[in-house]
Amino acid sequence: MLLFYWLIISLFLLIIISNRFFYKIFLLLNSFILLIIICYYIMYFIWFDYHFNILYYYSFQLSFFFFSKNVTYFIVFDSLSLMLIFLTIILYIVCVLVIWELDYYFKLLNILLYLVVFFVILSFMTFDLFLFYIFFEAILIPMLLIIGIWGSRERKLTAAYRFFLYTLFGSIFFLTVVIYLFYYYGTTNIYVLYTIANFEKNIQILFWLFTFFAFAVKIPLFPFHTWLPEAHAEAPTIGSILLAGILLKLGPYGLFRFSNFLFPYGLVFFKPLIIILSLMGIYYTSLSAIRQLDLKKIIAYSSIGHMAFILIGFMLNTLETFFGSFILLLAHGFVSGGLFFMVGCIYDRYKTRIILYYNGLVMLNPKIAIFFFFFLLGNIAFPGTLNFLSELLIILGLIEFDFYLLFLIGFSSVFILAYNLFLFSKLFFFKPNINFIIYNKDLSIREFICAFILLFPVIFFGLFSFKFTSFIYKNILVLLCF
């Protein structure tokens, strides 16, 4: 399969090329080729409308012996994983442009960045529990190095180790499930397991809970969220973009693709508890974001709240709510990545992320103010953005589910609007800080391109969403019918 083979080839070339000029040329070429490949697959899915019985594009087969058993794995994707791969490639292109002028271990950082993207794409291309676990855990090592080496402050090692240990501990439960399934059924392919395995209710409850622990840390869900604000605060700009835009998507994706699919009774059993935790997370993160002083922590808590909202949609497991949650998953990747990028631009100019030092940046950096404003519109789900479409679909599903839950979630929008308005007004209005006037430098062409790449899908798909939504709708409908 073309995408898989090019990922291997480009990784090899990134390692062996040493000249900085040719290295940058290849980075641009590689980004362009990855974008062309993924757009080709998207157009192929759109133009040649699949019937319901042709869901998955088989791309690569791997066979080997494991514990005297012949194990065959397929690396595949459907329209859901395809869109997440598209999001990953877009964010990779932005990250390449962000570190374009870096001098500190430039080649090493690009290799680690590509390894993260490589393992994330492979995670979205497999429907096998064992391979997903391998790629799921392999992401930790390059991310640990990115945060620990290129972090911005003295607590970067603490944040890196906390991120690593939290995720590693949660994944132990997931590994236990994988070992059990392989030992008793001889396979970890979810569709083979769905066909041959008949799990008892108690097993479904236990295994759903085990896999949920692993994915709840990645989401992250309250109260498993404490590693994320610290990691964002200490990570470099590309580290924050990767964490919010890509890595947080693995949790909801794994929960729906594996946990809810194989252990549906566990989903029904724990639905009230998870909805309560998600609701607590929305309110807790909104109130925490209002009182934060670090710009990155404000956006980090905002991400936790949005992921809790996404999880509610997945837990209700209706067509409208799942459809809205998946679109919000994509929209959040663009919006949160854009907000962290804009904060990085501000930090590069003024060397602080403490909000108390900022006033009146709209007079000094009008382009930053405009892009920041549009990203915040997406963050509050303003009409005309992709976030609005997704949250509207989740709310429609909540109307049918429970009115009181709808009221509680709707009331939380007051707090979400409050901290977003406070953030924007404190940064860009009031009297300018006289000490910042000497740094009056607006977005460069490279930074403008990065911001435009992240903002364009949010506005374009928000206004012209028919083709975009119909592309995913059929796949969601069939998966929910299993």
Side-chain angles (χ1 to χ4, degrees):
M1 183 266 199
L2 185 59
L3 179 59
F4 179 81
Y5 290 134
W6 178 251
L7 288 172
I8 300 294
I9 294 171
S10 56
L11 177 61
F12 176 73
L13 293 175
L14 282 173
I15 295 174
I16 65 172
I17 296 176
S18 58
N19 183 277
R20 186 181 178 92
F21 174 77
F22 291 110
Y23 201 84
K24 287 189 172 183
I25 294 296
F26 179 72
L27 286 175
L28 291 178
L29 179 64
N30 182 37
S31 301
F32 179 74
I33 292 176
L34 286 174
L35 186 60
I36 292 297
I37 292 174
I38 200 66
C39 287
Y40 164 75
Y41 285 124
I42 292 175
M43 292 299 104
Y44 191 79
F45 269 75
I46 292 176
W47 289 340
F48 299 94
D49 192 19
Y50 282 120
H51 297 290
F52 281 77
N53 60 333
I54 309 177
L55 284 176
Y56 309 110
Y57 186 89
Y58 281 74
S59 56
F60 183 77
Q61 179 176 338
L62 176 66
S63 299
F64 57 91
F65 285 91
F66 188 67
F67 285 107
S68 301
K69 296 182 179 180
N70 187 14
V71 183
T72 301
Y73 293 118
F74 290 99
I75 295 179
V76 299
F77 58 74
D78 60 359
S79 61
L80 306 185
S81 53
L82 185 62
M83 291 308 300
L84 290 173
I85 294 172
F86 173 74
L87 170 66
T88 304
I89 292 175
I90 293 295
L91 294 179
Y92 169 70
I93 295 173
V94 171
C95 290
V96 168
L97 294 176
V98 168
I99 61 174
W100 189 255
E101 298 178 354
L102 182 72
D103 294 324
Y104 184 62
Y105 293 126
F106 176 74
K107 180 177 178 179
L108 177 60
L109 181 56
N110 274 283
I111 293 174
L112 293 175
L113 169 63
Y114 193 78
L115 283 175
V116 172
V117 172
F118 178 76
F119 290 128
V120 168
I121 291 177
L122 291 184
S123 299
F124 292 141
M125 288 171 58
T126 180
F127 294 166
D128 187 279
L129 288 167
F130 179 70
L131 283 182
F132 185 81
Y133 174 79
I134 296 296
F135 302 139
F136 188 77
E137 292 301 299
I139 299 169
L140 297 180
I141 298 175
M143 277 305 304
L144 173 70
L145 295 175
I146 289 175
I147 298 173
I149 298 175
W150 288 273
S152 56
R153 298 189 300 191
E154 65 276 2
R155 286 177 56 84
K156 58 186 179 182
L157 291 179
T158 302
Y161 286 134
R162 181 179 294 183
F163 158 73
F164 183 83
L165 293 176
Y166 258 80
T167 308
L168 187 64
F169 176 76
S171 299
I172 293 175
F173 298 95
F174 186 52
L175 179 61
T176 303
V177 175
V178 173
I179 293 174
Y180 176 91
L181 293 176
F182 184 79
Y183 180 78
Y184 280 96
Y185 298 101
T187 181
T188 50
N189 185 291
I190 60 171
Y191 290 104
V192 177
L193 288 171
Y194 184 84
T195 304
I196 67 174
N198 186 17
F199 300 109
E200 298 179 356
K201 290 183 178 180
N202 292 335
I203 293 294
Q204 290 195 42
I205 292 173
L206 182 63
F207 281 4
W208 191 93
L209 186 63
F210 275 20
T211 54
F212 175 77
F213 276 136
F215 299 134
V217 175
K218 278 285 193 198
I219 290 174
L221 176 67
F222 174 87
F224 307 105
H225 69 284
T226 55
W227 65 269
L228 185 65
E230 188 75 14
H232 274 305
E234 305 300 327
T237 300
I238 66 163
S240 296
I241 293 174
L242 292 175
L243 279 172
I246 300 177
L247 298 189
L248 297 192
K249 308 301 175 281
L250 289 171
Y253 176 81
L255 187 65
F256 174 78
R257 180 69 77 189
F258 303 113
S259 302
N260 295 357
F261 184 76
L262 290 177
F263 317 115
Y265 187 78
L267 165 67
V268 176
F269 186 85
F270 287 107
K271 180 186 294 186
L273 174 63
I274 306 306
I275 289 178
I276 291 173
L277 289 178
S278 301
L279 191 61
M280 291 172 61
I282 292 174
Y283 277 94
Y284 171 79
T285 54
S286 300
L287 295 174
S288 297
I290 294 175
R291 59 184 292 273
Q292 294 300 318
L293 299 179
D294 191 300
L295 294 175
K296 275 194 171 182
K297 285 191 175 182
I298 295 175
I299 303 171
Y301 278 107
S302 173
S303 294
I304 298 171
H306 281 90
M307 299 308 292
F309 194 62
I310 290 171
L311 187 58
I312 289 177
F314 279 129
M315 295 304 298
L316 296 181
N317 209 38
T318 64
L319 181 60
E320 295 86 359
T321 57
F322 179 77
F323 193 29
S325 293
F326 184 80
I327 297 177
L328 185 56
L329 204 64
L330 299 173
H332 174 265
F334 292 116
V335 170
S336 63
L339 286 172
F340 279 115
F341 172 70
M342 301 314 298
V343 170
C345 292
I346 295 173
Y347 179 77
D348 290 341
R349 285 155 177 78
Y350 305 116
K351 306 305 177 185
T352 181
R353 292 197 301 267
I354 304 302
I355 195 173
L356 297 178
Y357 292 112
Y358 289 101
N359 280 320
L361 291 187
V362 69
M363 300 177 62
L364 305 177
N365 309 106
K367 294 179 183 177
I368 293 179
I370 291 172
F371 276 107
F372 207 102
F373 175 71
F374 278 105
F375 282 124
L376 284 182
L377 288 183
N379 208 36
I380 63 176
F382 192 80
T385 63
L386 188 58
N387 303 63
F388 172 75
L389 171 67
S390 57
E391 294 194 13
L392 180 63
L393 289 170
I394 297 176
I395 289 173
L396 289 175
L398 285 170
I399 293 175
E400 301 176 2
F401 180 73
D402 188 88
F403 175 77
Y404 297 104
L405 179 62
L406 173 65
F407 173 78
L408 290 173
I409 292 178
F411 187 72
S412 69
S413 62
V414 176
F415 299 101
I416 296 173
L417 184 63
Y419 70 76
N420 280 281
L421 290 179
F422 167 74
L423 173 62
F424 186 75
S425 60
K426 186 66 178 69
L427 279 176
F428 296 102
F429 293 104
F430 306 112
K431 185 178 179 180
N433 192 325
I434 192 67
N435 296 323
F436 286 169
I437 294 179
I438 59 175
Y439 300 106
N440 185 15
K441 181 183 178 183
D442 215 341
L443 291 178
S444 64
I445 296 177
R446 175 176 55 87
E447 292 169 334
F448 184 89
I449 293 173
C450 292
F452 181 80
I453 290 174
L454 292 172
L455 182 61
F456 178 78
V458 178
I459 303 300
F460 180 79
F461 291 130
L463 295 175
F464 309 99
S465 58
F466 175 74
K467 271 295 182 184
F468 173 67
T469 55
S470 61
F471 168 56
I472 307 171
Y473 185 83
K474 181 183 294 186
N475 210 157
I476 293 174
L477 180 61
V478 175
L479 288 174
L480 290 177
C481 289
F482 264 98

